[in-house]
Structures are given as C-alpha cells and as structure tokens.
Short mmCIF file of all heavy atoms in Angstrom, two decimals:
data_model
loop_
_atom_site.label_atom_id
_atom_site.label_comp_id
_atom_site.label_asym_id
_atom_site.label_seq_id
_atom_site.Cartn_x
_atom_site.Cartn_y
_atom_site.Cartn_z
N CYS A 1 -29.85 21.36 16.32
CA CYS A 1 -30.22 20.15 16.01
C CYS A 1 -30.30 19.20 17.16
O CYS A 1 -29.74 18.10 17.18
CB CYS A 1 -29.47 19.50 14.84
SG CYS A 1 -27.72 19.46 15.18
N THR A 2 -30.87 19.72 18.22
CA THR A 2 -30.98 18.90 19.51
C THR A 2 -32.33 18.96 20.09
O THR A 2 -33.22 19.93 19.70
CB THR A 2 -29.91 19.38 20.52
OG1 THR A 2 -29.73 18.34 21.50
CG2 THR A 2 -30.26 20.69 21.16
N PHE A 3 -32.72 18.17 20.96
CA PHE A 3 -33.97 18.10 21.68
C PHE A 3 -33.84 18.62 23.14
O PHE A 3 -34.80 18.89 23.79
CB PHE A 3 -34.44 16.80 21.76
CG PHE A 3 -34.80 16.17 20.46
CD1 PHE A 3 -34.06 15.05 20.08
CD2 PHE A 3 -35.72 16.61 19.53
CE1 PHE A 3 -34.29 14.32 18.92
CE2 PHE A 3 -35.76 16.11 18.36
CZ PHE A 3 -35.19 14.85 17.89
N ALA A 4 -32.65 18.92 23.61
CA ALA A 4 -32.42 19.34 25.07
C ALA A 4 -33.05 20.67 25.38
O ALA A 4 -32.63 21.64 24.75
CB ALA A 4 -30.88 19.50 25.31
N PRO A 5 -34.09 20.82 26.25
CA PRO A 5 -34.66 22.01 26.60
C PRO A 5 -33.63 23.08 27.03
O PRO A 5 -33.83 24.29 26.77
CB PRO A 5 -35.61 21.63 27.69
CG PRO A 5 -35.92 20.28 27.53
CD PRO A 5 -34.62 19.62 26.90
N LYS A 6 -32.54 22.64 27.63
CA LYS A 6 -31.55 23.59 28.15
C LYS A 6 -30.88 24.32 26.97
O LYS A 6 -30.42 25.52 27.17
CB LYS A 6 -30.45 22.78 28.98
CG LYS A 6 -29.51 23.78 29.59
CD LYS A 6 -28.62 22.90 30.53
CE LYS A 6 -29.36 22.54 31.87
NZ LYS A 6 -28.30 21.93 32.68
N GLU A 7 -30.88 23.66 25.77
CA GLU A 7 -30.33 24.25 24.57
C GLU A 7 -31.33 24.93 23.68
O GLU A 7 -30.94 25.66 22.65
CB GLU A 7 -29.45 23.25 23.75
CG GLU A 7 -28.37 22.64 24.60
CD GLU A 7 -27.64 21.48 23.74
OE1 GLU A 7 -26.92 21.88 22.77
OE2 GLU A 7 -27.75 20.37 24.05
N ASP A 8 -32.67 24.63 24.01
CA ASP A 8 -33.73 25.05 23.08
C ASP A 8 -34.59 26.10 23.76
O ASP A 8 -34.23 27.30 23.75
CB ASP A 8 -34.54 23.84 22.62
CG ASP A 8 -33.71 22.98 21.73
OD1 ASP A 8 -32.61 23.31 21.26
OD2 ASP A 8 -34.11 21.73 21.47
N GLU A 9 -35.66 25.63 24.44
CA GLU A 9 -36.66 26.55 24.99
C GLU A 9 -36.16 27.35 26.16
O GLU A 9 -36.35 28.67 26.18
CB GLU A 9 -37.81 25.78 25.48
CG GLU A 9 -38.80 25.18 24.43
CD GLU A 9 -38.19 23.93 24.04
OE1 GLU A 9 -37.44 23.33 24.51
OE2 GLU A 9 -38.89 23.48 23.01
N GLN A 10 -35.24 26.74 26.80
CA GLN A 10 -34.53 27.53 27.97
C GLN A 10 -33.69 28.64 27.42
O GLN A 10 -33.52 29.67 28.04
CB GLN A 10 -33.89 26.61 29.01
CG GLN A 10 -34.91 25.74 29.78
CD GLN A 10 -34.08 24.79 30.72
OE1 GLN A 10 -33.01 24.99 31.10
NE2 GLN A 10 -34.80 23.54 30.98
N MET A 11 -33.08 28.21 26.30
CA MET A 11 -32.12 29.35 25.66
C MET A 11 -32.97 30.47 25.09
O MET A 11 -32.60 31.70 25.14
CB MET A 11 -31.21 28.72 24.49
CG MET A 11 -30.21 29.52 24.17
SD MET A 11 -29.01 29.88 25.35
CE MET A 11 -28.45 28.19 25.94
N ALA A 12 -34.15 30.19 24.44
CA ALA A 12 -35.04 31.14 23.91
C ALA A 12 -35.48 32.15 25.11
O ALA A 12 -35.61 33.34 25.13
CB ALA A 12 -36.13 30.45 23.11
N GLU A 13 -35.93 31.55 26.28
CA GLU A 13 -36.32 32.22 27.34
C GLU A 13 -35.11 33.16 27.90
O GLU A 13 -35.39 34.29 28.34
CB GLU A 13 -36.89 31.22 28.43
CG GLU A 13 -37.51 31.90 29.65
CD GLU A 13 -38.67 32.62 29.29
OE1 GLU A 13 -39.43 32.41 28.18
OE2 GLU A 13 -39.11 33.61 29.95
N TRP A 14 -34.04 32.50 27.93
CA TRP A 14 -32.77 33.37 28.35
C TRP A 14 -32.72 34.58 27.44
O TRP A 14 -32.27 35.77 27.98
CB TRP A 14 -31.55 32.56 28.37
CG TRP A 14 -30.35 33.24 28.69
CD1 TRP A 14 -29.82 33.64 29.91
CD2 TRP A 14 -29.33 33.86 27.69
NE1 TRP A 14 -28.70 34.37 29.81
CE2 TRP A 14 -28.37 34.51 28.56
CE3 TRP A 14 -29.38 33.85 26.36
CZ2 TRP A 14 -27.28 35.16 27.90
CZ3 TRP A 14 -28.25 34.49 25.70
CH2 TRP A 14 -27.22 35.21 26.53
N ILE A 15 -32.86 34.44 26.10
CA ILE A 15 -32.65 35.59 25.19
C ILE A 15 -33.78 36.59 25.55
O ILE A 15 -33.45 37.90 25.72
CB ILE A 15 -32.90 35.11 23.75
CG1 ILE A 15 -31.69 34.28 23.37
CG2 ILE A 15 -32.85 36.33 22.84
CD1 ILE A 15 -31.89 33.52 21.97
N ARG A 16 -34.95 36.21 25.78
CA ARG A 16 -35.98 37.14 26.05
C ARG A 16 -35.74 37.86 27.42
O ARG A 16 -36.01 39.08 27.56
CB ARG A 16 -37.38 36.39 26.10
CG ARG A 16 -37.77 35.89 24.81
CD ARG A 16 -39.16 34.98 24.94
NE ARG A 16 -40.15 36.00 25.16
CZ ARG A 16 -40.84 36.04 26.16
NH1 ARG A 16 -40.70 35.26 27.21
NH2 ARG A 16 -41.94 36.88 26.26
N GLU A 17 -35.43 37.13 28.42
CA GLU A 17 -35.11 37.76 29.71
C GLU A 17 -33.85 38.76 29.73
O GLU A 17 -33.81 39.69 30.44
CB GLU A 17 -34.88 36.69 30.72
CG GLU A 17 -36.12 35.86 31.01
CD GLU A 17 -35.80 34.83 31.99
OE1 GLU A 17 -34.61 34.53 32.17
OE2 GLU A 17 -36.71 34.19 32.63
N THR A 18 -32.82 38.36 28.91
CA THR A 18 -31.60 39.26 28.83
C THR A 18 -31.64 40.35 28.02
O THR A 18 -31.07 41.44 28.34
CB THR A 18 -30.47 38.22 28.34
OG1 THR A 18 -30.38 37.12 29.18
CG2 THR A 18 -29.07 38.95 28.58
N TYR A 19 -32.43 40.32 26.93
CA TYR A 19 -32.37 41.38 25.83
C TYR A 19 -33.75 42.00 25.82
O TYR A 19 -34.65 41.34 25.08
CB TYR A 19 -31.93 40.91 24.61
CG TYR A 19 -30.48 40.43 24.69
CD1 TYR A 19 -30.20 39.07 24.83
CD2 TYR A 19 -29.35 41.37 24.84
CE1 TYR A 19 -28.88 38.49 24.96
CE2 TYR A 19 -28.13 40.82 24.95
CZ TYR A 19 -27.80 39.50 25.06
OH TYR A 19 -26.67 39.05 25.23
N SER A 20 -34.11 43.07 26.47
CA SER A 20 -35.43 43.67 26.45
C SER A 20 -35.76 44.25 25.00
O SER A 20 -36.90 44.45 24.77
CB SER A 20 -35.56 44.79 27.48
OG SER A 20 -34.54 45.80 27.24
N ASN A 21 -34.75 44.45 24.17
CA ASN A 21 -35.01 45.06 22.76
C ASN A 21 -35.40 44.02 21.88
O ASN A 21 -35.56 44.27 20.61
CB ASN A 21 -33.82 45.75 22.30
CG ASN A 21 -32.56 44.85 22.18
OD1 ASN A 21 -32.34 43.96 22.97
ND2 ASN A 21 -31.94 45.08 20.98
N LEU A 22 -35.43 42.61 22.25
CA LEU A 22 -35.72 41.60 21.33
C LEU A 22 -37.08 41.01 21.59
O LEU A 22 -37.49 40.91 22.70
CB LEU A 22 -34.79 40.36 21.39
CG LEU A 22 -33.25 40.76 20.85
CD1 LEU A 22 -32.45 39.45 21.14
CD2 LEU A 22 -33.29 41.28 19.50
N GLU A 23 -37.83 40.80 20.48
CA GLU A 23 -39.14 40.30 20.59
C GLU A 23 -39.27 38.96 19.82
O GLU A 23 -38.74 38.81 18.70
CB GLU A 23 -40.11 41.21 19.98
CG GLU A 23 -41.64 40.85 19.94
CD GLU A 23 -42.45 41.70 19.07
OE1 GLU A 23 -41.98 42.52 18.42
OE2 GLU A 23 -43.71 41.26 18.95
N ILE A 24 -39.84 38.03 20.47
CA ILE A 24 -40.02 36.68 19.98
C ILE A 24 -41.15 36.70 18.81
O ILE A 24 -42.19 37.37 19.10
CB ILE A 24 -40.15 35.61 21.00
CG1 ILE A 24 -39.87 34.18 20.27
CG2 ILE A 24 -41.46 35.54 21.55
CD1 ILE A 24 -39.57 33.07 21.34
N LEU A 25 -40.83 36.07 17.72
CA LEU A 25 -41.84 36.06 16.62
C LEU A 25 -42.50 34.81 16.37
O LEU A 25 -41.80 33.80 16.61
CB LEU A 25 -41.13 36.63 15.38
CG LEU A 25 -40.59 38.09 15.38
CD1 LEU A 25 -39.90 38.43 14.17
CD2 LEU A 25 -41.65 39.00 15.75
N PRO A 26 -43.74 34.71 15.89
CA PRO A 26 -44.27 33.56 15.37
C PRO A 26 -43.58 32.95 14.10
O PRO A 26 -42.82 33.49 13.41
CB PRO A 26 -45.76 33.87 15.02
CG PRO A 26 -45.59 35.31 14.57
CD PRO A 26 -44.53 35.92 15.42
N MET A 27 -43.62 31.52 14.12
CA MET A 27 -42.91 30.81 12.97
C MET A 27 -43.85 30.99 11.56
O MET A 27 -44.96 31.10 11.72
CB MET A 27 -42.76 29.46 13.17
CG MET A 27 -42.22 29.07 14.59
SD MET A 27 -40.58 29.72 14.93
CE MET A 27 -39.84 28.68 13.70
N LYS A 28 -42.97 30.87 10.59
CA LYS A 28 -43.73 30.83 9.29
C LYS A 28 -44.47 29.66 9.25
O LYS A 28 -44.01 28.52 9.49
CB LYS A 28 -42.77 30.93 8.17
CG LYS A 28 -42.44 32.31 7.67
CD LYS A 28 -41.34 32.22 6.53
CE LYS A 28 -42.01 32.18 5.13
NZ LYS A 28 -41.07 32.29 4.14
N LYS A 29 -45.81 29.55 8.74
CA LYS A 29 -46.56 28.37 8.60
C LYS A 29 -45.95 27.48 7.63
O LYS A 29 -45.48 27.82 6.50
CB LYS A 29 -47.96 28.62 8.45
CG LYS A 29 -48.79 29.37 9.41
CD LYS A 29 -50.20 29.75 9.15
CE LYS A 29 -50.77 30.43 10.29
NZ LYS A 29 -52.33 30.68 9.91
N VAL A 30 -46.04 26.14 7.79
CA VAL A 30 -45.60 25.11 6.86
C VAL A 30 -46.76 24.16 6.63
O VAL A 30 -47.62 24.00 7.39
CB VAL A 30 -44.36 24.45 7.31
CG1 VAL A 30 -43.26 25.40 7.59
CG2 VAL A 30 -44.62 23.71 8.72
N GLY A 31 -46.48 23.48 5.49
CA GLY A 31 -47.51 22.41 5.13
C GLY A 31 -47.01 21.05 5.64
O GLY A 31 -46.13 21.05 6.48
N GLY A 32 -47.46 20.07 5.12
CA GLY A 32 -47.00 18.75 5.50
C GLY A 32 -47.69 18.08 6.64
O GLY A 32 -47.12 17.27 7.40
N ILE A 33 -48.98 18.30 6.90
CA ILE A 33 -49.78 17.89 7.97
C ILE A 33 -49.99 16.39 7.79
O ILE A 33 -50.50 15.95 6.73
CB ILE A 33 -51.17 18.57 8.08
CG1 ILE A 33 -50.84 20.01 8.63
CG2 ILE A 33 -52.00 17.88 9.23
CD1 ILE A 33 -52.00 20.82 8.83
N GLU A 34 -49.77 15.60 8.79
CA GLU A 34 -49.92 14.09 8.75
C GLU A 34 -50.63 13.72 10.04
O GLU A 34 -50.32 14.26 11.10
CB GLU A 34 -48.65 13.37 8.67
CG GLU A 34 -47.73 13.81 7.34
CD GLU A 34 -46.31 13.23 7.38
OE1 GLU A 34 -46.04 12.51 8.40
OE2 GLU A 34 -45.53 13.56 6.60
N ASP A 35 -51.61 12.76 9.92
CA ASP A 35 -52.31 12.25 11.00
C ASP A 35 -53.00 13.39 11.86
O ASP A 35 -53.11 13.22 13.10
CB ASP A 35 -51.31 11.48 11.97
CG ASP A 35 -50.67 10.30 11.27
OD1 ASP A 35 -51.34 9.68 10.41
OD2 ASP A 35 -49.54 10.01 11.63
N GLY A 36 -53.45 14.52 11.13
CA GLY A 36 -54.08 15.49 11.93
C GLY A 36 -53.19 16.41 12.74
O GLY A 36 -53.59 17.25 13.41
N ARG A 37 -51.88 16.19 12.70
CA ARG A 37 -51.02 16.93 13.42
C ARG A 37 -50.06 17.71 12.60
O ARG A 37 -49.49 17.12 11.49
CB ARG A 37 -50.14 15.95 14.45
CG ARG A 37 -51.05 15.19 15.54
CD ARG A 37 -50.23 14.41 16.34
NE ARG A 37 -49.41 13.42 15.53
CZ ARG A 37 -48.71 12.47 16.04
NH1 ARG A 37 -48.55 12.45 17.37
NH2 ARG A 37 -48.07 11.65 15.29
N THR A 38 -49.65 18.92 12.90
CA THR A 38 -48.59 19.59 12.14
C THR A 38 -47.31 18.84 12.43
O THR A 38 -47.14 18.36 13.55
CB THR A 38 -48.50 21.10 12.56
OG1 THR A 38 -47.44 21.63 11.88
CG2 THR A 38 -48.28 21.27 14.05
N PRO A 39 -46.46 18.76 11.36
CA PRO A 39 -45.23 18.20 11.64
C PRO A 39 -44.15 18.83 12.66
O PRO A 39 -43.21 18.34 13.06
CB PRO A 39 -44.51 18.05 10.20
CG PRO A 39 -45.13 19.24 9.44
CD PRO A 39 -46.57 19.32 10.06
N TRP A 40 -44.55 20.23 12.85
CA TRP A 40 -43.77 20.97 13.90
C TRP A 40 -44.71 21.14 15.08
O TRP A 40 -45.97 21.18 14.95
CB TRP A 40 -43.53 22.34 13.35
CG TRP A 40 -42.65 22.42 12.19
CD1 TRP A 40 -42.21 21.31 11.37
CD2 TRP A 40 -41.97 23.59 11.68
NE1 TRP A 40 -41.48 21.82 10.29
CE2 TRP A 40 -41.35 23.17 10.51
CE3 TRP A 40 -42.07 24.88 11.98
CZ2 TRP A 40 -40.58 24.05 9.67
CZ3 TRP A 40 -41.40 25.86 11.20
CH2 TRP A 40 -40.59 25.43 10.06
N SER A 41 -44.16 21.16 16.26
CA SER A 41 -44.88 21.50 17.45
C SER A 41 -44.41 22.76 18.07
O SER A 41 -43.26 23.11 18.02
CB SER A 41 -44.67 20.42 18.48
OG SER A 41 -43.41 20.45 19.00
N GLU A 42 -45.41 23.68 18.14
CA GLU A 42 -45.14 24.94 18.83
C GLU A 42 -45.02 24.64 20.40
O GLU A 42 -46.05 24.38 20.98
CB GLU A 42 -46.14 26.00 18.52
CG GLU A 42 -46.10 26.38 17.18
CD GLU A 42 -47.18 27.38 16.77
OE1 GLU A 42 -48.05 27.63 17.62
OE2 GLU A 42 -47.04 28.04 15.60
N HIS A 43 -43.81 24.60 20.86
CA HIS A 43 -43.58 23.76 22.09
C HIS A 43 -43.45 24.61 23.35
O HIS A 43 -43.00 25.71 23.43
CB HIS A 43 -42.30 23.02 21.89
CG HIS A 43 -42.04 21.87 22.80
ND1 HIS A 43 -42.70 20.62 22.77
CD2 HIS A 43 -41.28 21.79 23.97
CE1 HIS A 43 -42.40 19.86 23.75
NE2 HIS A 43 -41.65 20.52 24.59
N ALA A 44 -43.97 23.93 24.38
CA ALA A 44 -43.52 24.19 25.79
C ALA A 44 -43.87 25.60 26.42
O ALA A 44 -42.99 26.56 26.24
CB ALA A 44 -42.15 23.82 26.11
N GLY A 45 -44.96 25.88 26.91
CA GLY A 45 -45.22 27.05 27.79
C GLY A 45 -45.65 28.17 26.99
O GLY A 45 -45.16 28.51 25.83
N GLU A 46 -46.63 29.02 27.46
CA GLU A 46 -47.20 30.14 26.59
C GLU A 46 -46.14 31.11 26.47
O GLU A 46 -46.32 31.96 25.43
CB GLU A 46 -48.48 30.63 27.19
CG GLU A 46 -48.46 30.78 28.66
CD GLU A 46 -49.85 31.15 29.19
OE1 GLU A 46 -50.15 32.39 29.00
OE2 GLU A 46 -50.64 30.29 29.70
N ASP A 47 -45.28 31.37 27.22
CA ASP A 47 -44.32 32.39 27.16
C ASP A 47 -43.43 32.13 25.88
O ASP A 47 -42.83 33.21 25.37
CB ASP A 47 -43.28 32.64 28.44
CG ASP A 47 -44.01 33.18 29.58
OD1 ASP A 47 -45.04 33.85 29.29
OD2 ASP A 47 -43.51 33.10 30.67
N ILE A 48 -43.23 31.03 25.48
CA ILE A 48 -42.33 30.64 24.37
C ILE A 48 -43.05 29.84 23.30
O ILE A 48 -42.45 28.99 22.72
CB ILE A 48 -40.97 30.05 24.86
CG1 ILE A 48 -41.18 28.90 25.93
CG2 ILE A 48 -40.10 31.11 25.30
CD1 ILE A 48 -40.02 28.19 26.17
#
C-alpha cells in the first residue's frame, strides 16, 4: 500500500531477475473506467 518504486516496480524486477522459475503475469481486468482512463495503471517500463 505504497507508491515507492523501490518497494513496488523495482521489487517486481528484483523478483524476475533473482528467480528464473518465476514468470510475471498480466493482471485480471477490472471495470470502473472514469474519464476515459482505467482506474489502474499498468505502470513503468515494458519489462514490468
């Protein structure tokens, strides 16, 4: 429940780099679109 990249995207990237047996998966789609934007952002860099 934080916005810090060090605890978020960088942690996800660390998991991918450290564990070759783990594959990152797409998120389940959700509704709730407002102002033409999804309420979630698929964030930061194509690798993650």
Side-chain angles (χ1 to χ4, degrees):
C1 57
T2 194
F3 301 117
K6 188 173 286 189
E7 300 178 71
D8 293 347
E9 290 84 8
Q10 291 177 28
M11 195 61 60
E13 186 63 20
W14 175 82
I15 294 171
R16 293 178 72 246
E17 291 176 350
T18 307
Y19 301 101
S20 59
N21 64 316
L22 293 184
E23 176 190 5
I24 196 162
L25 298 178
M27 310 298 297
K28 272 179 91 174
K29 291 182 179 179
V30 297
I33 291 177
E34 300 170 7
D35 302 327
R37 298 179 301 184
T38 173
W40 296 11
S41 68
E42 294 179 347
H43 194 80
E46 45 185 279
D47 281 346
I48 44 175

